[in-house]
């Protein structure tokens, strides 16, 4: 797209790569599923079947906010797509394609190669393709829009939770926050804990297979991006219900289990960026939840229940009520 403001930045110094060379070299691949991919004014997709609804979601990663300057480009390629796929997972949609809108300070071949490698490795793993986007010069900003499909009426929504539903979470929670604390100097981790938790923060696994397997089983779902209790709050508000969460039941990785109880709770309950699925299902569906988890090869843990009574109650293993001091991340509120 043409710019309208004069000379916003100096011309590129690293390699003499133009906007269209860059798109052609790094972001144009033959399409297999789309009717038309990169190169025209729009991409064209064909819906997989009648009765399917299109699921769309965008997520943006901004340098200095979501990642530090100098972050590994290959991990960024992975993460930019992973956080978007996580949103499709949370509604139980099957990913099909995505677009990439990016602002880059310069056309740096080494950065672009790494970014494209991370991006396409995850895209190939999910059999989805890049069908278009926009490329502009500016402070580094990476925005993907993912497109997927879900049979009409089968999307897992935040609004579907019902009183007496079990509350479940996939995988383990708190690892990304543990890594962030180390990176920010709040605490320090040994080499093994650091490697394990940094991998979770930089290369999250979107739980796409689990989202698909939970169609028709779960009542409500959300992906944990801002913090487990904060994201649970979205389900509660949208569903008009409350919940009781058993803090000590939340699944933790070995690295997190080795931390103090206080730090473990902070990371698990307030930490975001884990991209696990938090979902509700009726107690009668416990076997079906276990079957979905097995089918998706993704462990799930029951951490509480949905109540008719509003608000969130946090309890420990003995049933003692705990203060909920675990606010999640908010771009405009969190200092
Ligand atoms: P237009 O001016 O019509 O919006 P552009 O000149 O911006 O199109 O882009 C040319 C083509 O390259 C379009 O098909 C667009 O979707 C695609 N494109 C631009 N940037 C990217 C990108 N980062 N990744 C994938 N495709 C891109
Ligand atoms: Mg055009």
């Amino acid at each position: 797209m043409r710019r309208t403001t004069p000379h916003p930045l100096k011309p590129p110094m690293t390699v003499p790569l133009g906007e269209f060379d860059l798109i052609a070299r790094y972001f144009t691949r033959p399409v297999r599923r789309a009717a038309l991919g990169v190169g025209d004014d729009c991409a064209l997709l064909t819906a997989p079947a009648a009765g399917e609804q299109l699921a769309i979601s965008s997520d943006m990663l901004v340098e200095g906010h979501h990642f530090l300057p100098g972050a590994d480009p290959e991990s960024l390629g992975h993460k930019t797509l992973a956080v978007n796929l996580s949103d499709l997972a949370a509604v139980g949609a099957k990913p099909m394609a995505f677009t990439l809108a990016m602002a880059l300070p310069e056309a740096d071949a080494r950065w672009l190669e790494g970014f494209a490698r991370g991006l396409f490795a995850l895209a190939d793993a999910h059999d989805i393709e890049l069908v278009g986007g926009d490329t502009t010069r500016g402070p580094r900003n990476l925005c993907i829009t993912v497109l997927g499909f879900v049979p009409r009426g089968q999307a897992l929504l935040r609004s579907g939770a019902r009183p007496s539903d079990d509350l479940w979470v996939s995988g383990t929670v708190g690892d990304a926050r543990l890594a962030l604390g180390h990176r920010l100097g709040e605490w320090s981790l040994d080499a093994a804990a650091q490697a394990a938790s940094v991998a979770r923060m930089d290369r999250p696994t979107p739980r796409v297979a689990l989202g698909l397997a939970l169609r028709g089983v779960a009542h409500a779902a959300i992906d944990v991006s801002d913090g487990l209790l904060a994201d649970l709050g979205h389900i509660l508000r949208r569903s008009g219900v409350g919940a009781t969460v058993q803090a000590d039941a939340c699944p933790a990785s070995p690295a997190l289990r080795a931390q103090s109880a206080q730090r473990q709770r902070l990371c698990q309950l307030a930490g975001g960026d884990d991209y696990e699925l938090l979902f509700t299902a009726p107690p009668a569906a416990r076997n079906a939840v276990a079957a979905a988890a097995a089918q998706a090869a993704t462990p799930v843990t029951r951490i509480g229940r949905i109540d008719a009574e509003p608000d969130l109650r946090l309890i420990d293993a003995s049933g003692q009520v705990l203060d909920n001091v675990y606010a999640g991340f908010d771009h405009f509120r969190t200092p």
Side-chain angles (χ1 to χ4, degrees):
M1 205 176 78
R2 200 179 163 81
R3 65 179 160 79
T4 51
T5 49
H7 314 298
L9 285 165
K10 290 192 302 238
M13 301 305 289
T14 38
V15 283
L17 196 62
E19 174 184 339
F20 299 101
D21 306 324
L22 183 164
I23 296 166
R25 188 177 306 174
Y26 297 105
F27 300 112
T28 306
R29 306 200 315 177
V31 285
R32 291 161 288 115
R33 299 176 65 187
L36 181 65
V38 169
D40 215 305
D41 293 312
C42 287
L44 296 173
L45 304 181
T46 308
E52 299 260 331
Q53 288 179 311
L54 178 61
I56 307 175
S57 179
S58 298
D59 256 310
M60 188 190 290
L61 265 60
V62 177
E63 186 170 271
H65 293 273
H66 300 94
F67 59 92
L68 297 171
D72 170 43
E74 189 169 341
S75 296
L76 277 178
H78 174 100
K79 186 163 181 176
T80 310
L81 182 56
V83 301
N84 276 279
L85 286 174
S86 177
D87 283 316
L88 289 186
V91 298
K94 184 156 177 48
M96 183 174 189
F98 63 104
T99 63
L100 169 66
M102 61 197 318
L104 300 172
E106 76 258 306
D108 174 345
R110 194 197 58 84
W111 190 93
L112 284 159
E113 270 160 32
F115 181 82
R117 206 178 317 120
L119 181 81
F120 286 119
L122 186 62
D124 290 346
H126 288 272
D127 192 24
I128 60 170
E129 47 200 17
L130 176 59
V131 295
D134 196 28
T135 304
T136 180
R137 183 190 285 257
R140 201 179 310 276
N141 187 328
L142 310 164
C143 181
I144 282 181
T145 297
V146 276
L147 307 163
F149 286 91
V150 58
R152 185 182 306 278
Q154 284 192 35
L156 308 173
L157 305 182
R158 297 177 180 188
S159 55
R162 292 173 222 164
S164 88
D165 274 1
D166 293 325
L167 182 64
W168 299 84
V169 72
S170 64
T172 61
V173 284
D175 300 304
R177 181 66 183 83
L178 187 64
L180 182 68
H182 177 85
R183 204 166 264 179
L184 296 177
E186 290 176 85
W187 48 70
S188 69
L189 301 174
D190 64 38
Q194 198 185 324
S197 58
V198 165
R200 289 291 316 268
M201 176 167 67
D202 288 348
R203 292 184 174 246
T205 304
R207 301 299 193 183
V208 173
L210 181 63
L212 292 174
L214 287 171
R215 280 181 191 166
V217 175
H219 278 163
I222 191 169
D223 62 321
V224 179
S225 56
D226 296 329
L228 189 144
L229 295 187
D231 288 320
L232 173 59
H234 295 303
I235 289 186
L236 303 186
R237 275 186 294 281
R238 302 277 298 193
S239 301
V241 294
T244 303
V245 172
Q246 229 252 66
D248 300 316
C250 293
S253 66
L256 193 58
R257 271 202 303 273
Q259 308 296 314
S260 71
Q262 194 192 356
R263 184 176 301 163
Q264 195 172 313
R265 273 191 190 150
L266 170 80
C267 290
Q268 290 190 297
L269 301 175
D273 243 15
D274 288 315
Y275 302 98
E276 295 295 351
L277 292 188
L278 180 67
F279 60 96
T280 83
R286 279 181 196 169
N287 288 341
V289 169
Q295 191 190 325
T298 306
V300 297
T301 307
R302 192 150 52 84
I303 61 165
R305 65 156 195 274
I306 298 296
D307 303 323
E309 190 188 335
D311 299 326
L312 177 67
R313 283 152 295 281
L314 191 62
I315 57 171
D316 69 10
S318 66
Q320 191 82 30
V321 176
L322 305 171
D323 266 351
N324 179 3
V325 292
Y326 304 102
F329 183 80
D330 179 319
H331 276 280
F332 293 99
R333 287 211 174 115
T334 310

